[in-house]
Each structure stands twice: as structure tokens, then as C-alpha cells.
Amino acid sequence: MNYRRFGKTDLFLSETGFGAWAIGGAAKVGDLPIGWGQTDDNESITALHTAFNQGINFYDTADFYGLGHSETLIGKVFGNSSDVIIATKVGQKPGMDRPVEIDYDRQYIVKACELSLQRLQRGHIDYYQLHVANLQHLQQGDCIQAMSDLQQQGKIRYWGISLSTYNPFPEAAYMLQNGFGHGFQLAFNIINQRALPLISEMFENGYGIIARMPLQFGLLSGKFSSSSKFEDTDHRSFRLTPEIIETANKLLAEIWPIASNYNISKAHLALSFILSFPEISTIIPGIRTDRQAIDNSAPPVALLPEERNCITALYLNGFESLLNQMQKQG
């Protein structure tokens, strides 16, 4: 496992981290699924141990994943160990009048941080993130003040923002212009390259960068067809329509020969593409089994410039329209 420095901080993250959304289990808020279907806690705990044994030292979760269950499992396995780096998020909660409520009130963030610390069984959070806060929240300032207070109190070491999946630009610009925080989490993969213009600027300004959704909900594993079905507790049941899967598969057929050339899986190619950008600090594929922990921690292959250019060109020539379809699904 290789390790990369997270911006200007003293954190060195495994270049492959552990995306812990899926181990939160089959949670719903109202009728809206916010998880990845049924999970087995024993299997999840084994996956966490296996990931650590593979050299993964970075674990990314949120208080909304399984409504705290993901954090609880991580706390059970690692507790206050200094051998791991834990990142979690704040700002989303079950709503009264709508399934998901956004709350960036200063007092709420402070209270939510305390609850996350209890579930994680830790004295501090290594990296605390605003869970897709929008520009209005940032400009209002409560959330930024709360993060500053928590850092001064030693409750968190560093903080940043998890940016919007489809439009990361307004919030990224505001954070960069004001020098707030220490890092960004952004959606970045073969299909979704919208954040690509931001990456160099973030890196040059000393920010760490976490690339989430490296397999785009599993589309980049190459395992889905238009007849694939998802549990009703799996958010992909409404996000990945047969039409979206079919369109993605047709476009991806152009680049899968690159994986064949290296004798690697399609998922391995997808992860290698992201890690070919040295500005990226870590990627966080979703992991829920020991097999996934082993497969996803394999060293990336070194893509040739023309191969990476082929992938970025395909984004401009087809995946942007697919993203627009996906954005409409939520």
C-alpha cells in the first residue's frame, strides 16, 4: 500500500481508503432508502479488519450512514487506536416534513460531533466534514465557526467539506477564496469528471483531496445489466434505472479493452485512473466484504498518457449527458 500526504496536514493516508457508507446497513428515512441494502455486521467487521491488514489506514464515514451504525461499527473495531485515521461528516439528519433535513446550525454541529465521538469511541476526529453544505450555509458562517471551535477544543484535528456530486464549483470556490478548512471530498471517477478542473487548484493551495464514488455506484465494476435489480433499501433502486445502466455499459465498452491489456478487472482500471492523478490524496471505494477489501487495495497500474487521455475524452463525448440523466434521478 502506498501513502499520500493529505494536503499540508501531518496526515498520511493510504491511497485506497475504506468507504464506510455501505456498512451502515439498510436504513431508510421515511420511504427513502439511504443505504446499500441489507448487510451483516459480522461480515462488515471482518471487512474492516481485512482492510487494515491490507494497509488501509483511512476510514471515511458519516453520522448519516445507517443513522450512526457505520460509525458504531468503526468504533467497535478500532476505538481510539492511533493506527487509523478516521473521517466522518455532519449536516444531514432525518427530517420532520421531508425525508432528509440539512442542519448546519452551530449548536447542532457541536452536539452531533459529541455523538459521533461517542459512537466512534475516540477522543478526537481526525478529519471532520460538512456533508454537502451549500454556498448559503458557508456564507452564513455558523458551520465554519463551529468547525473552528471544535478544532480549538481538540475535538477535531482538521476539517473540510464534502462537495456536491454534480456541481462542486460554488462551494469549492468560496472555500478556496477564503482559505477555509484543510481538505475537500469530491465525486471523481471515469464517468463523473466534472470536478477535474478544480483538482490542481485545490492541490496547489495545500488542500487534501478525497475522491469518492470511484466506482460510480458500481457501474464501473462492469457487473450490472439493464435487468439488474436492487433491494428497496438500496438507494440504487431509484438512482440506477435500466436506461442509465444500459447507456453506461455502451459508453464504457470503448475503454474496457484497456483493462484487458493489463489483465486487470474493470474496477481495478477505474481505481487506477483516479490514482493516476498525483493530486488525489486517497480514493474511498465502498467496502463491505473482506474480498472487496483485498481487491480494492491492489496497487494501481500505471496508465499511459494516451490511455488516460482516451478516458477523459470519452467523458466529454458521452458521459456528460449520462451524468445529466443521473442528476435527474437524485
Side-chain angles (χ1 to χ4, degrees), residues 44-63:
S44 299
I45 289 170
T46 299
L48 288 165
H49 284 296
T50 301
F52 181 78
N53 291 337
Q54 292 295 117
I56 292 177
N57 74 345
F58 180 66
Y59 298 80
D60 178 87
T61 184
D63 59 4

Side-chain angles (χ1 to χ4, degrees), residues 15-327:
E15 62 183 9
T16 297
F18 189 112
W21 182 5
I23 65 171
K28 277 188 171 185
V29 285
D31 294 327
L32 181 69
I34 60 169
W36 294 71
Q38 295 293 331
T39 56
D40 181 309
D41 283 353
N42 290 326
E43 188 174 56
S44 299
I45 289 170
T46 299
L48 288 165
H49 284 296
T50 301
F52 181 78
N53 291 337
Q54 292 295 117
I56 292 177
N57 74 345
F58 180 66
Y59 298 80
D60 178 87
T61 184
D63 59 4
F64 200 58
Y65 296 167
L67 303 178
H69 190 60
S70 176
E71 289 182 330
T72 298
L73 288 176
I74 291 173
K76 183 176 182 178
V77 171
F78 298 118
N80 213 27
S81 170
S82 60
D83 294 330
V84 294
I85 297 167
I86 305 298
T88 191
K89 310 179 194 74
V90 64
Q92 296 186 351
K93 64 183 184 181
M96 299 293 291
D97 301 322
R98 64 189 69 180
V100 182
E101 183 177 336
I102 305 299
D103 194 338
Y104 288 105
D105 177 76
R106 185 175 172 183
Q107 291 184 338
Y108 173 75
I109 292 174
V110 171
K111 180 180 178 181
C113 181
E114 291 290 347
L115 293 173
S116 287
L117 286 168
Q118 291 173 25
R119 288 188 290 265
L120 291 166
Q121 300 182 41
R122 296 180 74 80
H124 65 262
I125 294 166
D126 297 297
Y127 182 61
Y128 204 34
Q129 301 160 92
L130 300 170
H131 203 167
V132 199
N134 64 35
L135 183 59
Q136 182 180 353
H137 298 129
L138 299 178
Q139 291 174 330
Q140 195 276 334
D142 260 23
C143 57
I144 292 172
Q145 186 60 54
M147 291 299 206
S148 178
D149 291 346
L150 289 169
Q151 188 178 26
Q152 290 178 8
Q153 295 165 12
K155 300 293 179 65
I156 64 175
R157 295 189 63 198
Y158 303 104
W159 70 275
I161 183 171
S162 177
L163 295 167
S164 165
T165 298
Y166 299 106
N167 183 18
F169 299 101
E171 294 74 27
Y174 185 81
M175 296 286 285
L176 287 164
Q177 289 166 5
N178 290 280
F180 291 140
H182 306 90
F184 293 96
Q185 182 173 140
L186 44 79
F188 182 60
N189 57 55
I190 288 174
I191 292 175
N192 186 351
Q193 298 178 44
R194 283 186 178 170
L196 183 57
L198 293 168
I199 289 174
S200 292
E201 184 179 2
M202 291 172 174
F203 181 78
E204 290 167 2
N205 281 276
Y207 286 86
I209 304 172
I210 302 166
R212 75 171 182 272
M213 295 172 60
L215 299 178
Q216 189 64 43
F217 301 145
L219 285 175
L220 291 166
S221 70
K223 297 178 180 178
F224 298 153
S225 70
S226 58
S227 61
S228 295
K229 303 294 182 183
F230 302 97
E231 299 175 31
D232 63 0
T233 53
D234 188 330
H235 70 100
R236 294 174 297 181
S237 61
F238 69 89
R239 285 197 166 106
L240 296 187
T241 64
E243 293 76 19
I244 284 174
I245 294 173
E246 184 175 357
T247 300
N249 286 343
K250 287 180 179 178
L251 291 168
L252 288 165
E254 295 187 38
I255 62 168
W256 290 146
I258 299 174
S260 299
N261 292 341
Y262 288 98
N263 194 29
I264 59 175
S265 69
K266 295 168 181 176
H268 196 172
L269 174 64
L271 302 182
S272 296
F273 167 72
I274 305 169
L275 290 173
S276 72
F277 294 85
E279 301 91 341
I280 299 293
S281 307
T282 187
I283 57 175
I284 48 171
I287 296 174
R288 68 166 96 187
T289 67
D290 58 346
R291 184 72 259 167
Q292 290 173 343
I294 293 168
D295 290 345
N296 290 334
S297 58
V301 298
L303 298 177
L304 298 173
E306 55 265 33
E307 292 169 334
R308 199 173 83 166
N309 290 341
C310 171
I311 293 172
T312 54
L314 185 60
Y315 165 72
L316 295 173
N317 294 330
F319 282 127
E320 178 62 28
S321 60
L322 174 62
L323 276 182
N324 289 331
Q325 287 181 259
M326 298 187 74
Q327 188 171 359

